[in-house]
Amino acid sequence: MALGTYKVFEKNPAEGMTFEDRQKVYFASNKNTSNVVSSAGDVDFTQAAAAVTPAVVYIRTTYSAQQGRSSGRDPIEEMFGDMFGQRMQPQQSQPQRASGSGVIISTDGYIVTNNHVVANASKVEVTTNDHRVLQAKVIGTDPNTDLALIKVSATNLPIVKLGNSDDVRVGEWVLAVGNPFNLNSTVTAGIVSAKGRNIGIIGSEDNDDQQSSPFGSRSRYQQQPAAPRLNKAIESFIQTDAAINPGNSGGALVNTKGELIGINSAIASHTGSYEGYGFAVPVNLAKKVLNDLEKFGSVKRGYIGVSFQELNSDVAQTLKINTTNGLYVNELVAGGGAEAAGLQKGDIITKVEGNKVYESSDLQERVGRLQPGDKIHLTVLRAGAEKNFTITLKGEPAATNRTAANSKTAEELYNKLGASFQPLTQAQKSKFRLNSGVVVTQVRRGGFFENYDIPEGTIITGINGQAINSTNDIDKAITNLKNGQMVIEGYSADGMRFRNSFDVR
């Protein structure tokens, strides 16, 4: 009886741990899975390929015909065509399908992939390397880095060991593992061609002053900068010449030790197929994003609070300054961390944490790993002399009402909601005088929450007559339908009670 009682109240040892910490525990307990030796000397990739391939999955997504993804498509898809998702030709009344890859990073079913692989999907299906087909739910997405976290209900899954992308060196051998052209578990080899690439494919639709092309070129200088605003897109890609093709998106870029150093995201191509240039999100940036998505359902990102532009000889001549390296501060965001720390318009950011800054990605990736409230050290050039500043990052201003997304499984219904959730804090419970509930932390395009104008910050207290206090409660409640109707109850951010009913047939 004592042992049984202990098991009932025993906490999951992984609860509260980051994915990296969980992996350290896993590999410490399974030493035979972590002793892959670097094969760069013999140019033999068999050990690394064998270690990684079992944990790279094939992802198929379905989009209802009503969603019409051909309009309002992901900007990356707009610029690169349909190469990422291998979309079948859309039919008037048939659901549309797409596919891509993903990487298992936790033995209990968490998988990292690209945002554009699963964005707006009503159904996400994962096929493992041993041919199991599992339904997945979208835990959260981050369009600003093109990353997403999904989860399947399974245990003891193989995982790819998280590496350190800061240690990656130009010229070292790497492997790309994914599912190009629906060819499952394909491994290609190449080298790291460059680091910190900013190719202009994320967020350029938000800035009319920046011009984008399908090949990543972008104007980096604005003659008359507009009012400053937070730069949300983070691009600091690892560039590789390992063959990456349609379907590889969301797959693994690993070093010769079999460690994950990047998530394959884009290619530069005139044809939509491999032409020698592939780009991956560095894993050190992905770690922060994925941990936030699991813990909060959205990314808690800190901002310096400056509008800047990269310097080169042309920009320096226009601004009548002598230096051609660094980031020129155009404006300061009112109330931002930079303004509070004493930065000024016309300062030139030359170093971040003691490392020289040549491109915007040198700064953005470093900041992208931090939370609001964290501190970052910058060196700026002012009046010919360098000055050091310690800046406390500020969070994004409060989100406003966003209007931006017949299955029977819990995963499919969860994805149709198009939202991410976090349990209420004790302070929130006290404020609204509630004993239970979850708060909406993210609303994705095309889902019920967007269609019914349920914004971030909304509190959900009940679904289909069942009290909600966690995402597990949501899983149980959403399948308890009556006549195909899902009833959601809760409170808006201003305290107004609501009750909405959706037809999910």
Side-chain angles (χ1 to χ4, degrees):
M1 288 180 62
L3 180 60
T5 303
Y6 170 78
K7 285 296 183 182
V8 168
F9 292 98
E10 181 182 22
K11 291 189 67 176
N12 180 357
E15 187 174 334
M17 297 174 67
T18 67
F19 288 115
E20 191 170 20
D21 289 337
R22 292 179 217 179
Q23 288 207 351
K24 288 178 181 177
V25 173
Y26 173 83
F27 284 110
S29 304
N30 299 272
K31 295 185 181 299
N32 61 321
T33 65
S34 61
N35 58 356
V36 177
V37 179
S38 173
S39 55
D42 297 330
V43 195
D44 175 10
F45 306 122
T46 55
Q47 290 189 63
V52 173
T53 301
V56 176
V57 300
Y58 176 58
I59 298 176
R60 287 178 60 86
T61 51
T62 302
Y63 308 87
S64 62
Q66 291 82 358
Q67 282 182 279
R69 288 191 84 207
S70 57
S71 61
R73 291 166 53 190
D74 188 283
I76 295 179
E77 294 175 340
E78 292 284 2
M79 286 183 275
F80 282 84
D82 286 336
M83 66 180 176
F84 293 118
Q86 296 177 223
R87 190 176 320 287
M88 298 173 61
Q89 290 298 321
Q91 300 178 11
Q92 198 67 26
S93 58
Q94 296 297 320
Q96 300 177 38
R97 298 182 184 276
S99 64
S101 303
V103 184
I104 305 174
I105 58 171
S106 178
T107 57
D108 56 351
Y110 284 98
I111 298 170
V112 56
T113 186
N114 286 143
N115 170 62
H116 67 257
V117 170
V118 298
N120 309 326
S122 58
K123 179 180 179 181
V124 179
E125 188 177 82
V126 169
T127 302
T128 62
N129 188 252
D130 58 2
H131 306 299
R132 283 183 288 170
V133 179
L134 305 169
Q135 300 299 314
K137 63 181 180 182
V138 179
I139 301 301
T141 62
D142 182 35
N144 297 323
T145 55
D146 192 30
L147 291 172
L149 183 68
I150 65 176
K151 190 179 188 303
V152 296
S153 296
T155 57
N156 299 319
L157 293 172
I159 64 176
V160 178
K161 186 176 183 179
L162 298 177
N164 183 353
S165 52
D166 287 347
D167 291 340
V168 172
R169 307 176 83 179
V170 174
E172 74 170 273
W173 284 102
V174 289
L175 303 180
V177 186
N179 305 283
F181 304 116
N182 293 327
L183 299 172
N184 290 3
S185 302
T186 297
V187 180
T188 57
I191 64 169
V192 173
S193 304
K195 294 177 62 177
R197 286 294 196 213
N198 185 336
I199 59 177
I201 64 172
I202 299 178
S204 58
E205 78 284 356
D206 293 328
N207 193 340
D208 295 334
D209 296 317
Q210 294 180 329
Q211 303 300 317
S212 301
S213 80
F215 314 112
S217 62
R218 178 168 66 179
S219 171
R220 303 180 188 274
Y221 175 60
Q222 299 173 351
Q223 190 75 18
Q224 296 295 331
R229 55 182 170 181
L230 298 177
N231 187 1
K232 298 180 182 180
I234 300 175
E235 292 188 20
S236 186
F237 292 116
I238 298 170
Q239 181 182 325
T240 176
D241 65 354
I244 297 174
N245 275 296
N248 269 114
S249 198
L253 186 71
V254 300
N255 60 22
T256 53
K257 297 178 184 178
E259 297 171 336
L260 186 70
I261 59 169
I263 303 300
N264 297 322
S265 294
I267 61 176
S269 172
H270 290 78
T271 64
S273 296
Y274 172 72
E275 291 186 9
Y277 303 97
F279 303 94
V281 179
V283 73
N284 284 8
L285 175 59
K287 290 173 186 176
K288 180 265 191 300
V289 171
L290 299 173
N291 286 325
D292 276 8
L293 291 179
E294 187 211 13
K295 186 175 181 180
F296 307 114
S298 61
V299 179
K300 304 299 183 183
R301 185 160 284 130
Y303 295 92
I304 292 177
V306 297
S307 171
F308 59 78
Q309 61 194 76
E310 294 177 5
L311 290 178
N312 55 40
S313 57
D314 292 335
V315 175
Q317 183 177 2
T318 302
L319 294 173
K320 298 180 179 179
I321 57 179
N322 296 324
T323 183
T324 58
N325 288 320
L327 306 176
Y328 182 86
V329 177
N330 286 318
E331 295 288 345
L332 301 173
V333 175
E339 182 183 66
L343 264 70
Q344 299 177 5
K345 178 179 178 180
D347 284 344
I348 299 172
I349 301 172
T350 57
K351 294 178 184 177
V352 54
E353 301 294 353
N355 299 308
K356 287 188 177 181
V357 172
Y358 297 99
E359 300 182 80
S360 58
S361 58
D362 295 331
L363 175 64
Q364 289 174 316
E365 186 200 352
R366 187 68 60 173
V367 174
R369 303 179 192 179
L370 302 177
Q371 306 273 10
D374 288 345
K375 298 182 185 298
I376 192 167
H377 304 287
L378 298 184
T379 301
V380 306
L381 185 65
R382 180 188 297 172
E386 285 193 330
K387 295 180 177 291
N388 296 316
F389 293 89
T390 299
I391 297 174
T392 301
L393 302 183
K394 297 292 185 72
E396 185 175 358
T400 56
N401 229 355
R402 292 188 183 179
T403 33
N406 186 328
S407 305
K408 297 182 180 180
T409 68
E411 288 84 1
E412 292 174 83
L413 291 171
Y414 187 99
N415 292 338
K416 281 191 173 185
L417 295 179
S420 297
F421 309 91
Q422 180 185 356
L424 291 179
T425 63
Q426 191 57 49
Q428 290 171 317
K429 289 180 180 179
S430 299
K431 176 181 177 181
F432 290 94
R433 298 180 180 178
L434 297 173
N435 294 320
S436 64
V438 296
V439 62
V440 179
T441 58
Q442 183 185 59
V443 175
R444 296 184 287 276
R445 292 182 298 168
F448 290 131
F449 275 47
E450 183 204 46
N451 293 339
Y452 284 82
D453 200 22
I454 301 177
E456 294 175 14
T458 300
I459 293 174
I460 307 300
T461 57
I463 297 179
N464 298 333
Q466 299 182 33
I468 301 299
N469 203 32
S470 68
T471 54
N472 288 335
D473 293 338
I474 296 175
D475 290 341
K476 298 173 184 176
I478 57 179
T479 55
N480 183 28
L481 302 176
K482 294 182 179 180
N483 299 320
Q485 297 290 311
M486 183 184 301
V487 179
I488 295 183
E489 302 174 86
Y491 293 86
S492 62
D494 59 5
M496 296 293 293
R497 187 175 179 86
F498 72 90
R499 185 175 187 272
N500 282 348
S501 178
F502 317 136
D503 190 334
V504 297
R505 287 172 294 187

